[in-house]
Amino acid sequence: MTVADNTAAANAAEAAEVTIPAASRAERFASFDVEAFEVPGGREENWRFTPMKRLRGLHDGSAPATGESELELDAAPEVRVETVGRDDDRLGQAGVPSDRISAQAYSSFEKATLVTVPAETKASARTLVRLNGPGEGKTAYGHVQIRAEQFGEATIVLDHVGSGTYADNVEFVLGDGAQLTVVSVQDWADDAVHVSEQHLKLGRDSRLKHIVVTLGGDLVRVSPTATFAGPGGDVEMLGLHFADSGQHQEHRLFVDHAVPNCKSNVLYKGALQGADAHSVWIGDVLIRAAAEATETFELNRNLVLTEGARADSVPNLEIETGEISGAGHASATGRFDDEQLFYLQARGLPEDEARRLVVRGFFHEILMKIEVPEVRERLEAAIEAELEAIGV
């Protein structure tokens, strides 16, 4: 054997030891069994942006539950609320955990909360589910499922507040013709760590508006996955996040188009300020071979307000059929637009007020889509407070 042959053999052996990531999102592994997942080290594609040391052991099994989260419910009169055990056969219908923390959360909760919108019923008021963390230094796991039965309509607000370490799965199950608006607010205390996988399953001709708002917490990672159980489904996935100094905010979306004639529209906007503020947005859309006449678009915009902040944005679009109505994706990250500031200042506005108007305008598109006045006003006030903190 020649030297060249020996080199080639050595290279082949080395390559055989390398773990090659799945070439397609269609090959993404999922399981309810936490031991079916390897302990991530931080170099995997699914974890490469996440500061693993700040997960407090959620990823490696070294974080047993040492506390409990507390739920406060203010439900519309038409909506049913139940507390069920792990053996309830409705749990897990919306999706299967796709990472180790999600599987750990699924295997660790003792009781789940089910919120059901009855068939052919339109809720007369919004339903509020407020989750309080287990407390500083404590860890808890949870599970919430929101069900909208056939032709049911409702607005649900999930409000996450308090301290501690918390991992959960949240399910949204929409029956045929159902219409659901969901606002998931992560307004944690500065010490909190929250890792959440949200499973969205849409029935035939159903519509879901899913809005994620992330403001607080030390580390927050939210991963919504949308799937379609029948044709005609329409999902709008919106997000607003504002990262401060030292905060890590990560949003990982996956839209799986596996049936024909469905729509998805993704729009996330984020602002960052302060040293080591870090936001991550991953947007994956898969259009499978059977998903003809699909219409989809995803867009991410990030506004960096100060030095030392960093935004990572990765849109991905995978298409397995040419018979689609339309598909596209876009991403942009930048600082203040000098032309916009000049325009406003030229009309007599002071620089600080001009900057405020630019940021308000940046978020306005998403804020106006939040149809719950109390939530929208709260978020507007929170954005104002963030801007005041840096003198903008």
Side-chain angles (χ1 to χ4, degrees):
M1 182 178 289
T2 66
V3 174
D5 291 334
N6 286 330
T7 302
N11 290 340
E14 182 179 353
E17 297 177 356
V18 176
T19 300
I20 300 175
S24 168
R25 290 291 287 178
E27 301 172 16
R28 185 176 72 158
F29 179 74
S31 175
F32 291 108
D33 180 10
V34 64
E35 296 303 328
F37 296 90
E38 294 184 359
V39 175
R43 304 183 71 176
E44 301 83 357
E45 177 60 32
N46 195 34
W47 297 101
R48 66 187 179 98
F49 291 110
T50 308
M52 308 301 289
K53 293 181 179 180
R54 293 166 63 178
L55 288 172
R56 300 176 184 166
L58 290 175
H59 64 297
D60 61 12
S62 63
T66 56
E68 293 184 3
S69 59
E70 180 183 344
L71 278 177
E72 300 175 23
L73 289 153
D74 181 12
E78 300 84 0
V79 171
R80 297 196 308 268
V81 179
E82 305 170 71
T83 300
V84 300
R86 299 183 51 81
D87 58 347
D88 193 292
D89 58 9
R90 291 169 291 181
L91 300 181
Q93 289 184 356
V96 181
S98 64
D99 63 48
R100 186 179 173 91
I101 295 181
S102 178
Q104 182 70 63
Y106 194 88
S107 63
S108 300
F109 76 89
E110 295 183 359
K111 296 181 179 179
T113 299
L114 266 65
V115 179
T116 303
V117 183
E120 300 183 2
T121 299
K122 182 175 182 179
S124 58
R126 63 97 179 98
T127 292
L128 172 66
V129 181
R130 175 171 288 121
L131 186 143
N132 293 277
E136 189 172 356
K138 296 181 180 180
T139 300
Y141 299 93
H143 196 101
V144 175
Q145 185 182 94
I146 311 296
R147 303 179 65 88
E149 296 178 345
Q150 187 176 29
F151 297 109
E153 296 183 34
T155 296
I156 311 291
V157 178
L158 298 176
D159 193 11
H160 301 86
V161 297
S163 298
T165 303
Y166 183 68
D168 68 344
N169 289 273
V170 183
E171 299 184 70
F172 303 98
V173 182
L174 278 71
D176 294 349
Q179 296 187 41
L180 192 64
T181 295
V182 175
V183 186
S184 177
V185 182
Q186 286 64 236
D187 195 9
W188 295 100
D190 292 341
D191 71 288
V193 169
H194 181 204
V195 180
S196 177
E197 187 158 11
Q198 301 195 0
H199 311 272
L200 292 53
K201 186 174 183 180
L202 286 78
R204 184 185 186 97
D205 296 325
S206 63
R207 298 188 64 183
L208 172 61
K209 179 188 288 186
H210 181 267
I211 306 170
V212 175
V213 178
T214 302
L215 299 173
D218 176 66
L219 182 153
V220 175
R221 173 176 156 133
V222 182
S223 303
T225 295
T227 59
F228 298 89
D234 187 345
V235 62
E236 186 176 18
M237 303 173 74
L238 308 170
L240 183 158
H241 50 94
F242 205 132
D244 272 329
S245 178
Q247 284 186 316
H248 179 90
Q249 298 177 351
E250 186 166 344
H251 302 88
R252 308 183 68 96
L253 290 78
F254 178 38
V255 183
D256 188 352
H257 284 276
V259 296
N261 297 295
C262 291
K263 296 181 180 180
S264 64
N265 181 60
V266 177
L267 173 61
Y268 269 61
K269 290 189 175 185
L272 303 91
Q273 64 184 18
D276 298 322
H278 188 197
S279 71
V280 177
W281 181 85
I282 308 295
D284 291 333
V285 176
L286 169 64
I287 304 176
R288 298 178 187 262
E292 298 180 352
T294 290
E295 183 178 336
T296 181
F297 191 79
E298 58 174 347
L299 175 64
N300 177 230
R301 293 283 187 263
N302 298 290
L303 184 60
V304 180
L305 301 176
T306 65
E307 296 290 340
R310 172 184 169 185
D312 288 295
S313 179
V314 186
N316 300 298
L317 177 59
E318 184 177 355
I319 304 174
E320 296 180 350
T321 176
E323 301 298 324
I324 60 175
S325 297
H329 60 166
S331 169
T333 299
R335 301 187 182 277
F336 277 108
D337 188 325
D338 291 335
E339 289 188 4
Q340 290 181 351
L341 290 177
F342 176 80
Y343 177 88
L344 293 171
Q345 288 181 266
R347 278 148 182 81
L349 290 177
E351 182 179 356
D352 59 345
E353 188 172 344
R355 288 179 176 272
R356 286 173 182 266
L357 285 176
V358 171
V359 177
R360 291 174 190 153
F362 178 71
F363 283 131
H364 180 79
E365 181 179 5
I366 293 177
L367 286 171
M368 290 302 101
K369 291 180 180 289
I370 300 176
E371 299 171 356
V372 184
E374 63 190 80
V375 175
R376 185 172 63 248
E377 291 168 5
R378 171 184 165 190
L379 298 179
E380 290 173 344
I383 292 171
E384 287 294 321
E386 296 283 2
L387 296 176
E388 289 178 4
I390 58 169
V392 173

